[in-house]
Amino acid sequence: IDTATTSVINCLVRSSSNATVIAGIAIGSVSNLYSQGIIISNNIVHSLTNTVDSDLNGIVVFGDKATVSNNIVYDVISNSAGGCSGIYSKALAGAISNNIVKNAGRQNGQITYKATGSKGVSITNNSIEITNSDYKFVGIMAQVDNAVISGNTIDASSSTLCEAGIELSGLSSN
């Protein structure tokens, strides 16, 4: 969906055990980074699997400004070489807050935010848990400028392969 303003609110998204998907909720595209006012809120996304060689994300959003809040995302499992995240944003500005993410990341973070030239990003008050120790993971991965990351809980006590609770890289003030 590529529109000026877009909202996805109060939806349930899941797949069958033999389906291959690449995203539960996807808004925007790499070629259209100008979507304004995207809101993804109060959704449940779970049981997504991917066995093909491509990325898999529970929620993925591109655009100028996006808010992803109050969602529950769990069991997003990629068995391929592609990246995997529960929540993945490439919006130039936005917030990821008050989400619950469990067992939903591989090669990327459970929550991943990557935006070259970002204008202000906040990742706050999220709860992240990993109980699957079959692969390495990062709780929050942020490759952004001007980020505020605060009040998040990352529980990796059941996993022996946690690479980092929070991994930051960017060009200026992270």
Side-chain angles (χ1 to χ4, degrees):
I1 299 172
D2 292 314
T3 62
T5 57
T6 302
S7 298
V8 178
I9 300 172
N10 296 323
C11 295
L12 169 64
V13 179
R14 66 180 175 200
S15 71
S16 66
S17 60
N18 60 356
T20 295
V21 296
I22 57 171
I25 298 171
I27 299 177
S29 67
V30 174
S31 63
N32 181 5
L33 293 177
Y34 303 103
S35 298
Q36 297 281 329
I38 297 168
I39 298 171
I40 302 174
S41 183
N42 299 315
N43 300 291
I44 299 173
V45 178
H46 69 93
S47 303
L48 306 180
T49 58
N50 183 359
T51 57
V52 297
D53 198 15
S54 68
D55 294 344
L56 170 65
N57 299 291
I59 296 171
V60 60
V61 61
F62 297 83
D64 192 54
K65 185 174 183 182
T67 300
V68 180
S69 64
N70 301 309
N71 298 287
I72 299 171
V73 181
Y74 62 96
D75 295 338
V76 177
I77 309 295
S78 177
N79 296 318
S80 72
C84 178
S85 291
I87 299 172
Y88 189 113
S89 180
K90 282 199 156 198
L92 296 176
I96 298 175
S97 64
N98 301 307
N99 298 286
I100 297 170
V101 180
K102 181 176 180 180
N103 294 331
R106 184 179 195 165
Q107 295 180 340
N108 287 324
Q110 304 282 305
I111 294 176
T112 301
Y113 209 122
K114 296 180 181 179
T116 302
S118 55
K119 300 180 267 184
V121 168
S122 67
I123 304 171
T124 59
N125 302 317
N126 297 287
S127 176
I128 299 169
E129 182 180 8
I130 182 74
T131 60
N132 183 340
S133 62
D134 293 341
Y135 52 82
K136 295 180 181 180
F137 87 98
V138 174
I140 296 172
M141 178 183 286
Q143 296 175 358
V144 296
D145 299 321
N146 304 310
V148 173
I149 299 175
S150 173
N152 298 287
T153 301
I154 301 168
D155 181 356
S157 61
S158 298
S159 175
T160 57
L161 298 173
C162 179
E163 288 186 340
I166 299 172
E167 180 182 299
L168 300 175
S169 62
L171 300 176
S172 60
S173 59
N174 284 319

